[in-house]
Amino acid sequence: MKVLDNLKEKITKAHINKKTALFVVIGLAGMFLILISEMDFSSENDKKNITSDTFSSAQYCDYLERKVEEIVGSIDGAGKTRVMITLSETTEYVYATNDKINRKNSENSADIDSENEYVIIERDKNDSGLLLKTIEPKVKGVAVVCEGGDNAQVQQQIYSAVGAVLSLSTSRISISKLTVTEEK
């Protein structure tokens, strides 16, 4: 309120008519609103969530290896465990498109032309495609090396656990005994 009182006082001292003062105040308010609209009030956590949602294929593979290693390591008799996973593809991103189909009929034939345009959105002053979904790569095979890898009962439990978690057949899972070397 003090700002408005100071502004009124200055206007009366400068002998400015009320219409001109009103236009100046409206102009200042408009500039203030434009300034406020350009400011970014999103928190750092929001920005991190946007970028952390997308994994690279290597990050996805590391994530799966850690999770499978945890599961296999918790099987009774498995002992110390190491896991390696291979992927058959890379991560696939599916973007939204506007599809236009033009049909031209003539006497002898029917021609069909189709056009696909990606849907573009503006986020943080950058243009990008509208991401519909991310298809994670498929697991090609798993190698499990553990201390109990020579025990048939432990192997069967590992085959069951890894096969169930990753939807793999046993032919894509390899289990071996981990040789422990003593450090001198």
Side-chain angles (χ1 to χ4, degrees), residues 104-111:
K104 298 176 186 175
N105 291 327
S106 62
E107 289 180 23
N108 298 333
S109 66
D111 293 332

Side-chain angles (χ1 to χ4, degrees), residues 90 111 125 134 138:
T90 60
D111 293 332
K125 299 182 183 179
T134 303
K138 292 183 176 35

Side-chain angles (χ1 to χ4, degrees), residues 10-22 24:
K10 289 181 181 182
I11 289 172
T12 55
K13 287 182 181 177
H15 299 293
I16 299 176
N17 67 24
K18 289 185 180 185
K19 282 187 179 180
T20 306
L22 182 63
V24 169

Side-chain angles (χ1 to χ4, degrees), residues 123-174:
R123 175 182 262 165
D124 297 331
K125 299 182 183 179
N126 292 324
D127 291 340
S128 63
L130 177 60
L131 183 64
L132 290 179
K133 64 180 175 178
T134 303
I135 301 172
E136 298 300 341
K138 292 183 176 35
V139 175
K140 188 175 185 179
V142 178
V144 177
V145 181
C146 61
E147 292 175 331
D150 61 341
N151 183 326
Q153 191 175 23
V154 172
Q155 282 183 352
Q156 186 56 40
Q157 289 176 342
I158 293 172
Y159 279 127
S160 295
V162 173
V165 169
L166 298 175
S167 299
L168 289 176
S169 66
T170 56
S171 64
R172 296 188 179 267
I173 303 169
S174 172

